[in-house]
């Protein structure tokens, strides 16, 4: 696990939506997650980095169904061209969205990924970013998920913290997996790309 990394030019805040961080459906570690993601957003904004809020469009009846209170983003989106929302319908925020074009047009070559769920949307998005040759930083305390329920004959309950750790493990070969979001620093993308 890396402790310090060089600055990144963009922050992807994946699916930090009200259905998952508040009320009865909140993640076990929702308070920590929103605290860490809020800190990352504030530092990215301050440095002039691109902030991308990724918003999942859930199926009808899902807690994150578009237009429902649970679908709304937890963190307010700042104004200006350096902060945008990208909506998605797949785990991977690059799949069938304009995310890749957005990052390319901004001249981004390095990014941090945070949010939820560790083993699904965070991992899928980070994997694609690595495959597209971005330098990726994954702060361990800024992504989270739910416990995996017990399955008779397969396993007891798998605690959310273990699921998050396992989700990050295969990425550590190609991405900078840091222990703390506080160790992630930001810089603006090159001015000529803007």
């Amino acid at each position: 696990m890396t402790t310090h990394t060089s600055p990144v030019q963009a922050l992807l805040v994946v699916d930090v939506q009200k259905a998952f961080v508040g009320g009865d459906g909140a993640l076990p570690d929702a308070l920590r997650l929103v605290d860490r993601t809020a800190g990352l957003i504030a530092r990215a904004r301050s440095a002039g980095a691109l902030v991308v809020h990724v918003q999942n469009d859930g199926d009808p009846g899902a807690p994150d169904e578009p237009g429902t209170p649970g679908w709304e983003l937890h963190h307010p989106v700042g104004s200006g061209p350096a902060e945008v929302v990208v909506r998605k319908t797949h785990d991977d925020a690059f799949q069938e969205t304009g995310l890749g074009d957005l990052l390319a047009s901004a001249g981004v070559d390095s990014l941090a990924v945070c949010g939820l769920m560790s083993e699904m949307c965070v991992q899928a998005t980070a994997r694609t970013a690595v495959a597209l040759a971005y330098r990726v930083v994954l702060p361990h305390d800024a992504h989270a998920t739910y416990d995996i329920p017990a399955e008779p004959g397969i396993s007891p309950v798998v605690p959310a913290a273990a699921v998050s750790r396992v989700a990050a493990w295969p990425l550590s070969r190609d991405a900078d997996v840091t222990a703390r979001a506080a160790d992630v620093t930001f810089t603006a993308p090159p001015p000529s790309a803007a």
Side-chain angles (χ1 to χ4, degrees):
M1 207 174 270
T2 307
T3 54
H4 296 285
T5 63
S6 56
V8 294
Q9 301 163 329
L11 174 65
L12 306 185
V13 185
V14 179
D15 301 349
V16 181
Q17 292 165 250
K18 292 183 178 179
F20 308 119
V21 296
D24 293 341
L27 298 161
D29 220 356
L31 291 177
R32 175 192 52 84
L33 176 74
V34 297
D35 177 67
R36 298 312 186 274
T37 53
L40 286 165
I41 292 167
R43 292 197 317 280
R45 284 176 180 153
S46 177
L50 178 65
V51 177
V52 180
H53 298 266
V54 178
Q55 185 174 30
N56 192 66
D57 289 347
D59 293 330
D64 58 350
E65 177 183 355
T68 64
W71 172 75
E72 295 174 10
L73 294 169
H74 175 79
H75 299 295
V77 178
S79 59
E83 194 151 348
V84 297
V85 176
V86 170
R87 293 174 62 181
K88 68 179 181 60
T89 56
H90 300 282
D91 285 356
D92 179 0
F94 288 92
Q95 186 177 347
E96 297 178 9
T97 71
L99 179 59
D101 291 339
L102 173 70
L103 295 173
S105 68
V108 168
D109 63 16
S110 58
L111 53 89
V113 181
C114 65
L116 53 103
M117 302 319 169
S118 300
E119 77 284 16
M120 297 168 68
C121 300
V122 169
Q123 186 190 67
T125 300
R127 278 185 182 279
T128 297
V130 165
L132 293 172
Y134 289 99
R135 185 173 66 80
V136 176
V137 176
L138 182 66
H140 182 71
D141 64 350
H143 64 91
T145 193
Y146 293 101
D147 295 341
I148 295 177
E151 185 64 41
I154 296 177
S155 77
V157 171
V158 181
V163 178
S164 290
R165 176 72 175 111
V166 170
W169 176 250
L171 293 167
S172 64
R173 225 182 36 228
D174 301 309
D176 293 336
V177 177
T178 67
R180 301 174 342 123
D183 293 332
V184 180
T185 58
F186 295 91
T187 189
S192 59

